[in-house]
Amino acid sequence: MSDELATFQSTLLETLSSQDDPDTIKATLEQQQLSPSLADYVQTFESEMVEIAAELVKKWGKRLSNLE
Amino acid sequence: MFKSKRRTPMVGLSLMMESDFFRAAQPLFESGEVEVLEWSFDMSWGIAAKPPWVEELLEFYSQRDRLIGHGVSYSLLSAQQDERQTHWLKLLQQECLDYRYRHISEHFGWMAAGDFYQSAPLPMPLTPETLQLGRNNLKRFSDTANVPVGLENLAFAFGWQDVLQQGEFIDRLLEPVDGFLVLDLHNLYCQLHNFQQSAEQLLKRYPLHRVRELHVSGGSWSVTSKGQQTKKIRRDTHDDQVPEAVFELLAIALHSCPNVEAVIFERIGHTLHTEAEIVGFRQDFLRMKQVVKDSASCLMS
């Protein structure tokens, strides 16, 4: 399960960092093979807050690959 | 650990390394108004050397047992098991040898995954798996810190579920280590506004007996738009004066939380350049102190 959580978290950050439109972000997440609890969780995301999260991750996100 | 014995909480500042912060805060330090100092120690781990005045303040408060630690980048609910958290804990161990901390806190949520070693603090849903993950990581944090440890509530929520679950999630994470809650009142204000809750309703969801520290700060507004609809979102940016509503929340929290030891004012550096900004910063701090004093007098009488 922690592998699934890790994949979900990684996908979430990658999607938030590369997309702007909340509907596209949610659709991308919904296309993943998520467990019922994570799929239900994504359904609770409000568009305005997804937009804010995307802005935050673009602003504060730091990548390991940029350190190398 | 959490016996109800009311004392007047200490009032202090979150220490920033920027010179404008020091210029604004210096008179408060020199007049002895700052009774306790909070230090986000991991923000200095990547830099060559801390400014000398920062070192002096840390030594001063550490020697008097008035220094409290507040980590930012541990990423408690990160599911990826890698060297990042282990390395973070090694640095924390050294930090605790360098300075004496009364207690140390971190943030609820996660900010690292995959290629990202840092981002913004984000929530996770409360499930048996996420609870166990958080408890395991909090236990490692507690074992390393060797002082009481706590967690701060997040401002950000993806939706209602995050808002309604956060208090219970934090309580259940803290239970095994008998940890404390850092109740950030501006973070609470963000959720009150963004999800139209009442303070009374939302506070009831938090383990108020575990609150050992309160945070007070200001923030900013964002407007999001979708088609013709716009929505005003409160943001936790720590870059402006404290709103009236947060001072009101402070009075409510002091009345509702029997074990508060410290009340900390947070304002980031690079935001204190004009005379008005500097005066506003000092006024906010002194008003916060007055609210604490008034609340203590009221409770004692």
Side-chain angles (χ1 to χ4, degrees), chain B residues 2-13:
Chain B
F2 294 109
K3 291 172 188 165
S4 291
K5 185 179 177 186
R6 294 264 183 178
R7 288 181 189 166
T8 303
M10 297 178 287
V11 176
L13 284 172

Side-chain angles (χ1 to χ4, degrees), chain A residues 8 11-30 40-59, chain B residues 120-123 155-160 162 194-195 222-226 231 233-235:
Chain A
F8 171 73
T11 304
L12 180 56
L13 288 187
E14 290 292 348
T15 309
L16 290 169
S17 70
S18 61
Q19 304 281 347
D20 294 319
D21 176 53
D23 292 339
T24 306
I25 291 168
K26 285 183 72 171
T28 304
L29 294 171
E30 285 161 1
D40 288 347
Y41 181 53
V42 171
Q43 291 299 315
T44 69
F45 286 15
E46 296 197 0
S47 291
E48 298 91 345
M49 303 314 291
V50 172
E51 191 178 322
I52 298 286
E55 183 198 314
L56 286 170
V57 172
K58 287 181 185 76
K59 182 176 181 181
Chain B
L122 299 171
F156 182 81
F158 279 111
W160 270 98
D162 290 326
N194 297 339
F195 293 90
S222 275
V223 176
T224 64
S225 56
K226 190 176 183 184
K231 188 174 175 183
I233 303 287
R234 185 66 186 178
R235 307 284 296 272

Side-chain angles (χ1 to χ4, degrees), chain B:
Chain B
M1 177 179 167
F2 294 109
K3 291 172 188 165
S4 291
K5 185 179 177 186
R6 294 264 183 178
R7 288 181 189 166
T8 303
M10 297 178 287
V11 176
L13 284 172
S14 172
L15 179 62
M16 298 288 140
M17 288 189 283
E18 290 78 16
S19 56
D20 64 311
F21 172 85
F22 184 54
R23 275 197 305 275
Q26 192 171 11
L28 299 174
F29 285 117
E30 288 178 348
S31 59
E33 295 283 3
V34 183
E35 299 162 346
V36 61
L37 191 66
E38 179 155 282
W39 174 232
S40 288
F41 44 82
D42 51 349
M43 292 296 92
S44 72
W45 287 348
I47 64 168
K50 295 188 272 283
W53 59 270
V54 168
E55 296 271 15
E56 285 172 28
L57 284 169
L58 291 174
E59 283 294 339
F60 180 88
Y61 284 90
S62 171
Q63 286 167 5
R64 288 156 182 79
D65 196 22
R66 293 294 184 94
L67 183 65
I68 53 187
H70 187 53
V72 175
S73 57
Y74 181 50
S75 197
L76 184 84
L77 294 180
S78 278
Q80 191 170 304
Q81 301 297 308
D82 58 19
E83 275 299 299
R84 194 195 59 80
Q85 277 178 327
T86 304
H87 180 62
W88 194 96
L89 291 170
K90 277 182 187 165
L91 293 173
L92 174 64
Q93 193 169 35
Q94 183 58 49
E95 186 72 32
C96 293
L97 294 173
D98 293 343
Y99 299 107
R100 179 182 175 188
Y101 290 100
R102 289 175 69 92
H103 64 235
I104 301 179
S105 59
E106 243 295 346
H107 293 76
F108 171 73
W110 63 284
M111 59 160 55
D115 191 33
F116 289 87
Y117 65 90
Q118 208 169 301
S119 66
L122 299 171
M124 281 295 278
L126 173 56
T127 67
E129 293 80 13
T130 56
L131 180 61
Q132 194 55 54
L133 171 71
R135 282 179 167 181
N136 291 346
N137 286 332
L138 190 58
K139 176 76 166 63
R140 295 168 72 203
F141 178 46
S142 174
D143 288 347
T144 305
N146 216 17
V147 292
V149 295
L151 293 175
E152 177 185 336
N153 57 308
L154 287 189
F156 182 81
F158 279 111
W160 270 98
Q161 183 175 313
D162 290 326
V163 174
L164 298 180
Q165 279 187 348
Q166 187 173 204
E168 181 192 354
F169 200 162
I170 290 176
D171 190 26
R172 292 176 69 179
L173 285 168
L174 293 173
E175 200 173 16
V177 295
D178 198 13
F180 62 89
L181 171 62
V182 178
L183 186 61
D184 187 305
L185 298 172
H186 188 268
N187 289 357
L188 196 73
Y189 173 57
C190 289
Q191 295 200 344
L192 294 178
H193 174 85
N194 297 339
F195 293 90
Q196 292 164 357
Q197 283 271 295
S198 77
E200 188 186 25
Q201 281 175 313
L202 199 50
L203 275 170
K204 266 196 285 197
R205 294 182 168 274
Y206 283 83
L208 300 181
H209 65 290
R210 290 193 182 277
V211 177
R212 183 172 170 142
E213 186 179 331
L214 297 170
H215 280 182
V216 172
S217 65
S220 56
W221 298 100
S222 275
V223 176
T224 64
S225 56
K226 190 176 183 184
Q228 296 297 305
Q229 288 187 313
T230 61
K231 188 174 175 183
K232 209 173 162 190
I233 303 287
R234 185 66 186 178
R235 307 284 296 272
D236 182 45
T237 47
H238 294 193
D239 58 358
D240 205 343
Q241 285 205 249
V242 178
E244 191 63 30
V246 172
F247 283 119
E248 290 168 10
L249 282 173
L250 175 60
I252 293 169
L254 287 165
H255 184 76
S256 310
C257 306
N259 299 305
V260 178
E261 288 187 10
V263 182
I264 300 293
F265 178 38
E266 299 177 296
R267 174 82 181 239
I268 58 170
H270 298 310
T271 68
L272 294 162
H273 298 299
T274 69
E275 191 60 27
E277 287 167 340
I278 292 168
V279 168
F281 168 81
R282 292 171 188 160
Q283 284 176 340
D284 275 352
F285 178 81
L286 294 172
R287 181 169 174 197
M288 183 181 86
K289 199 163 185 176
Q290 190 60 50
V291 172
V292 172
K293 192 177 170 186
D294 291 347
S295 173
S297 303
C298 183
L299 287 166
M300 282 169 188
S301 65

